[in-house]
Amino acid sequence: MALEHAILVSLLEKPGSGYELARRFERSIGYFWTASHQQIYRVLKRMESDGWVDVRDVPQQGRPDKKEYSVAALGRDALAGWLHEPIQPESVRHDLAVKIRGAAFDDPAALIREVERHRQAHTERLAHYLAGQARDFPESRSPGTDACTGPGSDPHPVALPSPPDAGRELQHVVLRGGIAYERMMLDWLDDVLATLRRLGSAR
Amino acid sequence: MALEHAILVSLLEKPGSGYELARRFERSIGYFWTASHQQIYRVLKRMESDGWVDVRDVPQQGRPDKKEYSVAALGRDALAGWLHEPIQPESVRHDLAVKIRGAAFDDPAALIREVERHRQAHTERLAHYLAGQARDFPESRSPGTDACTGPGSDPHPVALPSPPDAGRELQHVVLRGGIAYERMMLDWLDDVLATLRRLGSAR
DNA sequence: ACTCACATGTAACGGGTTACATGATTGA
DNA sequence: TCAATCATGTAACCCGTTACATGTGAGT
């Protein structure tokens, strides 16, 4: 389980209400972990009773009051503990792969539309990630593998990434992972489409 | 939900017992869908009472008797129905990404070991997939992108993939997806390690 | 009047994980 | 005798999803 830890990370990056957390889970954090507001409120309540987070009532004008959550000492400890214990590499769950193998007992061509829909969704996500990267990390160029970030790309050789910049760097490497994932998926879905079309035209 | 559909696909490919299914979920099917034996027995029982599968007691000598399950007409219909209804592109869950962002509030260097462990696991999975590909699909060569499967690679131009071969082709394209995923992960984990080491040496 | 964004919840259900439980046969 | 493989389950618990529920204030 990591939802509570994801919430701790998000609240450490910036305190906020359950509603705000829910919106973050549709955006940045949601790139690699999803959660609905119902889930968040439920877990937040448990975390509060466990003393992992502090709550503060924030009256607002022009909109409903909110509860602002921030990480307490116990929460920090819990996060540190989790960070230091090993987790096992997650197992994959691909509905689409099940469908593709199932298509052998149905009409493979009938899946083409579905795969195209998924391809479209991944294209949009990739564009979204790339836009985020261009906005938040404008220093990263080269749409390629990013492998050759040699010297000279930095305009003025300021200090090496100091602790305050670590969070930014880490957010960026996670985002690069999302980008790599979407690119891989697009390539594979093209492979799938080619295979389905080949099978369809062969009969 | 797709476990019952994954089971249907597996039983269509070959009838078998709950135990055998559990082992398949550790191997081929398990590449893209995991399930424990407890889960399988539970779902199998429901599928039986729903008339999706037929059971046959198979007495064995030298080992305990088993129940062999096979797909019934209703199960075939259920699978066909599921194949034709759209599913939404699955959302991602990456514990490791949460940890990486969390490392900003802890010691980034402490994560290196963990990431190396994951890298090792993905290396092994990739090797496993490649071995499976070499065993089951020896006609596929070129460890590259597989993009240029031009003419001439086929020794004798036999018939185009006819329906009996469709299942094989589809299994292969799913396996190629697994291979692409593991390669992408290895590249990304190298990127993560480089980032963590850079942050560690900077302080 | 209606809809949208903000804000917080409860309840029910089903899926997934973990622990526990049983029992036969084979081989070291 | 002990461990491993084959074979089938039950029970408890938590997580995630879906549906339902309530209320404010801003803008059209």
Side-chain angles (χ1 to χ4, degrees), chain A residues 89-106:
Chain A
E90 49 261 23
S91 45
V92 196
R93 287 279 162 86
H94 283 300
D95 301 67
L96 199 54
V98 179
K99 277 201 172 190
I100 291 167
R101 274 177 79 149
F105 307 97
D106 199 84

Side-chain angles (χ1 to χ4, degrees), chain B residues 59-97:
Chain B
Q60 295 185 121
Q61 51 198 21
R63 44 174 105 177
D65 299 349
K66 67 175 180 179
K67 299 183 187 173
E68 195 183 70
Y69 290 89
S70 52
V71 178
L74 277 174
R76 244 177 192 280
D77 294 349
L79 181 64
W82 178 69
L83 284 175
H84 288 279
E85 80 190 15
I87 51 176
Q88 64 202 33
E90 50 259 24
S91 44
V92 197
R93 287 278 162 87
H94 285 298
D95 301 67
L96 198 55

Side-chain angles (χ1 to χ4, degrees), chain A residues 105-122:
Chain A
F105 307 97
D106 199 84
D107 179 19
L111 253 189
I112 290 178
R113 284 287 181 82
E114 172 85 332
V115 176
E116 280 170 343
R117 274 189 46 249
H118 283 249
R119 197 191 181 286
Q120 179 62 24
H122 285 282

Side-chain angles (χ1 to χ4, degrees), chain A residues 1-47:
Chain A
M1 211 324 264
L3 174 53
E4 41 206 72
H5 303 111
I7 288 176
L8 287 174
V9 171
S10 189
L11 288 179
L12 279 170
E13 287 174 354
K14 192 175 185 344
S17 67
Y19 186 84
E20 282 162 350
L21 280 171
R23 284 199 312 163
R24 287 184 213 172
F25 274 91
E26 290 167 1
R27 298 170 67 261
S28 58
I29 328 249
Y31 295 165
F32 51 89
W33 201 273
T34 57
S36 60
H37 75 270
Q38 294 92 332
Q39 228 180 317
I40 289 166
Y41 283 123
R42 193 212 270 156
V43 172
L44 226 33
K45 191 151 282 185
R46 187 178 64 223
M47 291 169 77

Side-chain angles (χ1 to χ4, degrees), chain B residues 21-33:
Chain B
L21 280 171
R23 284 198 312 164
R24 289 185 211 170
F25 274 91
E26 289 167 1
R27 297 170 68 260
S28 57
I29 328 250
Y31 296 165
F32 50 89
W33 200 274

Side-chain angles (χ1 to χ4, degrees), chain B residues 184-200:
Chain B
M184 182 276 302
M185 282 300 286
L186 285 177
D187 285 345
W188 179 62
L189 289 174
D190 284 338
D191 186 7
V192 172
L193 283 172
T195 304
L196 290 175
R197 292 197 176 110
R198 196 160 6 102
L199 290 173

